[in-house]
Amino acid sequence: MPFKDIIGLSWGALMAYRMRSFLTALGISVGIAAVVLLTSIGEGVHRFVLAEFTQFGTNLLAVVPGKTATFGVSGAIVSTVRPLSLADGEALARIDGVVAVVPVVQGNALVEAQSKSRRAFVFGVGSAVPTVWRIKVTTGKFLPAEERGTARAFAVLGSKLTDELFGGTNPLGQRIRVGQERYRVIGVMERKGQFMGFDLDDAVYLPAERALELFNRESLMEIDLLYEPGASVDRLVTDIKRALVSRHGHEDFTIITQKQMLDVLGSILDVLTFAVAALGSISLLVGGVGVLTIMTIAVTERTSEIGLLRALGAERDQISKLFLTEAVVLAGAGGLGGLAAGVALGQILHALIPGLPVQMSWGYALAGEVLAIAVGLAAGVVPARRAAKLDPLEALRNE
Amino acid sequence: MIRLQAIERRFAVGDEAVYALNGVSLNVEKGEYLSIMGPSGSGKSTLLHIIGLLDRPTAGQYWLAGKDVTGLADEERAQIRREKIGFVFQLFHLVPRLTAAGNVELPLTLAGLPREEREERVREILAAYGLSARARHVPSQLSGGERQRVAIARATVTRPEILLADEPTGNLDRGSGREVTGIDRVFGHP
């Protein structure tokens, strides 16, 4: 019997019990809608977080002081970590392929201006921040490049801090006090939002050299490097290691490439998305039990029909395929309904809560539909085998 | 065409063996018309079920068109039923959700005939049994006689070599029994 005839007979059987078929398919729909909706939120969060991390560009490397490693001899060897200095940053800037370098030291301090004061993030940085971190200056200019030991007391403010301290007045040329030092405001940064809990707009940018003094630190907290788009990251890492080892005597620093960071983050987010998909699949499983129940009832109810088909010459395999197709059609149709409902719910949710990142994942949607069909197949196997095993004469007597 | 030798059909009822058929031998040639008569419980239906390959004898041998079919596998028996045998059941055994045309079409669908050919044959046979106007009606919308005529049309639509009818009018009242005129035409006996 051709497959289209099997589909035709199965469809006819399903349509004979419209409401029952609809409710059974609805069970699968709810499961698929849950999978689609949850994975859409998971994928949205995934993209949102990755976008947060890549907003500063993708060709970035960070060097941080200290090295975590396990050595063969314990206890007796005293580990010495040399501070990461401004001179280290200058040395790294000379490496072939490095576009710009930003030394970073950060903390929190009271910022005073005129009669107002506010606690804000303090970023001690270099002049290349607009290039490396991709933050623009909207008013004035950013900190100038200056020789080591000659950094002037200039400050650049984040947009929120500017609003808080100066309201509507022009802050350029105004004096502010950060800790015990007085600084002259030479620029205001564009609005950038939050990143990993740091409000980049509620911050003041000072020369790294002066921030080190402010926080009484010897070492930078980080050196960020922007490299040329086509540059080999492996080669750069080797060159950075060689340059710093020659300066420090041994490897007492850690190099973090953005790719490493994004890979780890991506895999964590993938696990999270998969976990929410698995949660949604529980309801799909319940839908599958619904299909199994209905198909079992259908075989019992239609025993006489099965007997007739067998008496007319239908093979066991044909009977099995008929019931299996019914289960798959039920689950497949339910799955498609669930996909549509999941997408629609995602859109509605996004419209109601614009801040919630919702991103439809076609990969998961397709996997959901395949899963729905698989659930239909699995749920249909036992009833279909039962139907196929029926003795034609016994089944006919069932009427 | 049909040759039965010492056919026995024994059923176990508790510890007791009950014989529905015991040592039945029979020859039916091609084109021959045979009526089997006997009181209720004499084994008429059991004999038809064995001839129709719906049941297996517990002893004896059965040759169909010269071939020993006694020990055939289930699927081979299904193939013979599909290709060579038409069966009219005492009860209607129509699929309630299918129309008259759909019920008659069923064996042709199982045989894998193309849709156009199926529709043509169904149209012809429904017309022959005076059921053209009922083609789109489901069994619950048909009279007893019409249902049985649909059952006969279904048994004959595949043009089987053997047609078995198990009390085709037994489940009908006198008037409806007369309505089943097609059965006589099929067997060539007015």
Side-chain angles (χ1 to χ4, degrees):
Chain A
M1 185 163 47
F3 186 63
K4 64 176 180 178
D5 288 334
I6 290 179
I7 293 271
L9 283 172
S10 299
W11 184 253
L14 291 174
M15 285 299 100
Y17 304 96
R18 277 189 177 80
M19 182 54 77
R20 189 164 85 179
S21 301
F22 170 74
L23 291 175
T24 311
L26 189 64
I28 296 287
S29 293
V30 170
I32 291 292
V35 170
V36 170
L37 189 62
L38 288 172
T39 54
S40 293
I41 293 171
E43 187 68 16
V45 170
H46 190 146
R47 290 192 183 199
F48 174 78
V49 173
L50 288 185
E52 285 283 292
F53 271 83
T54 53
Q55 65 176 312
F56 301 110
T58 48
N59 302 322
L60 287 176
L61 269 168
V63 181
V64 294
K67 175 90 181 165
T68 307
T70 306
F71 298 97
V73 184
S74 65
I77 295 175
V78 177
S79 173
T80 54
V81 175
R82 289 190 59 173
L84 212 51
S85 66
L86 289 168
D88 288 334
E90 287 165 10
L92 296 182
R94 287 192 291 272
I95 290 173
D96 190 29
V98 173
V99 176
V101 166
V102 171
V104 183
V105 56
Q106 67 188 63
N108 195 286
L110 192 69
V111 182
E112 295 169 79
Q114 297 166 347
S115 59
K116 293 181 180 174
S117 64
R118 183 175 176 82
R119 256 199 185 275
F121 290 113
V122 176
F123 288 104
V125 290
S127 61
V129 162
T131 314
V132 178
W133 289 4
R134 289 190 183 174
I135 309 180
K136 289 179 188 149
V137 179
T138 50
T139 313
K141 58 187 178 181
F142 199 72
L143 301 170
E146 290 177 297
E147 290 290 317
R148 206 162 2 114
T150 64
R152 284 170 285 175
F154 289 151
V156 175
L157 301 180
S159 59
K160 186 176 178 184
L161 187 60
T162 306
D163 292 343
E164 293 291 338
L165 294 179
F166 295 98
T169 60
N170 185 2
L172 293 186
Q174 299 286 330
R175 297 280 173 179
I176 61 169
R177 181 183 290 276
V178 183
Q180 299 304 313
E181 293 275 335
R182 281 163 61 83
Y183 293 83
R184 186 153 65 88
V185 178
I186 61 166
V188 176
M189 305 302 282
E190 68 172 348
R191 200 168 292 278
K192 195 74 177 177
Q194 289 209 350
F195 174 71
M196 298 287 286
F198 293 108
D199 189 346
L200 298 173
D201 301 330
D202 200 3
V204 57
Y205 298 83
L206 305 177
E209 192 176 355
R210 284 182 171 268
L212 283 170
E213 285 173 21
L214 174 68
F215 296 119
N216 195 24
R217 282 183 64 96
E218 225 185 315
S219 171
L220 293 169
M221 295 168 115
E222 187 176 305
I223 298 174
D224 292 344
L225 288 92
L226 176 72
Y227 55 87
E228 287 168 359
S232 158
V233 178
D234 292 340
R235 204 251 319 147
L236 273 169
V237 168
T238 309
D239 288 354
I240 292 165
K241 274 186 186 170
R242 190 183 302 129
L244 287 180
V245 167
S246 74
R247 292 178 59 79
H248 293 197
H250 60 282
E251 194 176 328
D252 57 355
F253 52 88
T254 303
I255 300 168
I256 304 164
T257 66
Q258 199 178 31
K259 187 178 176 306
Q260 277 173 334
M261 204 166 64
L262 291 178
D263 283 351
V264 171
L265 200 63
S267 57
I268 292 169
L269 292 168
D270 280 345
V271 169
L272 278 175
T273 309
F274 183 78
V276 293
L279 278 175
S281 302
I282 293 172
S283 46
L284 187 59
L285 205 65
V286 176
V289 173
V291 174
L292 175 65
T293 309
I294 289 301
M295 292 314 298
T296 306
I297 292 170
V299 170
T300 308
E301 280 180 349
R302 284 154 57 196
T303 298
S304 169
E305 180 187 327
I306 295 163
L308 173 74
L309 290 173
R310 292 279 289 132
L312 293 177
E315 290 166 10
R316 291 190 194 281
D317 188 46
Q318 286 177 319
I319 300 290
S320 181
K321 277 180 188 163
L322 277 173
F323 280 88
L324 214 49
T325 306
E326 275 183 41
V328 168
V329 168
L330 259 182
L336 287 176
L339 280 183
V343 172
L345 281 171
Q347 297 298 321
I348 292 168
L349 203 62
H350 188 57
L352 291 175
I353 315 167
L356 184 73
V358 178
Q359 179 66 48
M360 167 81 177
S361 164
W362 284 108
Y364 273 105
L366 190 67
E369 180 60 15
V370 171
L371 190 63
I373 290 170
V375 164
L377 262 176
V381 163
V382 173
R385 281 173 65 94
R386 217 183 107 218
K389 276 185 180 170
L390 286 173
D391 175 73
L393 204 53
E394 289 298 319
L396 272 174
R397 285 185 184 133
N398 197 261
E399 184 163 285
Chain B
M1 186 74 188
I2 296 168
R3 192 175 147 220
L4 303 179
Q5 190 175 341
I7 291 291
E8 175 197 287
R9 182 63 173 100
R10 189 178 64 246
F11 296 95
V13 182
D15 294 336
E16 199 181 341
V18 175
Y19 287 86
L21 299 171
N22 196 358
V24 175
S25 295
L26 175 71
N27 267 314
V28 185
E29 297 305 324
K30 191 167 184 174
E32 197 175 342
Y33 172 88
L34 181 72
S35 288
I36 300 161
M37 289 186 279
S40 179
S42 59
K44 304 185 296 294
S45 293
T46 307
L47 182 61
L48 282 186
H49 290 153
I50 285 174
I51 294 172
L53 296 176
L54 287 171
D55 198 4
R56 290 174 188 272
T58 43
Q61 275 193 297
Y62 174 17
W63 289 269
L64 182 65
K67 184 183 175 185
D68 186 353
V69 295
T70 321
L72 283 185
D74 273 357
E75 298 310 288
E76 289 173 294
R77 292 156 67 83
Q79 190 185 352
I80 295 174
R81 284 200 298 272
R82 199 166 59 231
E83 292 173 356
K84 291 188 186 325
I85 301 171
F87 212 115
V88 183
F89 300 98
Q90 185 176 353
L91 298 171
F92 306 121
H93 284 313
L94 298 179
V95 180
R97 66 167 189 281
L98 294 180
T99 61
N103 269 286
V104 174
E105 191 182 349
L106 212 45
L108 301 176
T109 308
L110 294 174
L113 262 69
R115 188 189 183 91
E116 295 74 27
E117 193 180 339
R118 294 199 309 253
E119 286 175 351
E120 180 62 30
R121 281 221 217 170
V122 168
R123 212 173 12 253
E124 278 174 15
I125 203 151
L126 286 179
Y129 286 101
L131 290 165
S132 297
R134 299 296 206 181
R136 297 286 150 223
H137 291 197
V138 291
S140 62
Q141 296 167 321
L142 301 174
S143 70
E146 285 169 336
R147 285 184 217 179
Q148 194 65 311
R149 274 190 282 155
V150 171
I152 295 164
R154 185 180 63 195
T156 53
V157 73
T158 53
R159 296 162 190 166
E161 291 175 41
I162 301 162
L163 182 63
L164 303 168
D166 187 5
E167 298 189 52
T169 58
N171 209 39
L172 301 174
D173 59 40
R174 199 178 176 83
S176 298
R178 273 201 292 274
E179 199 187 327
V180 188
T181 51
I183 196 84
D184 300 324
R185 191 148 23 93
V186 171
F187 287 115
H189 287 259

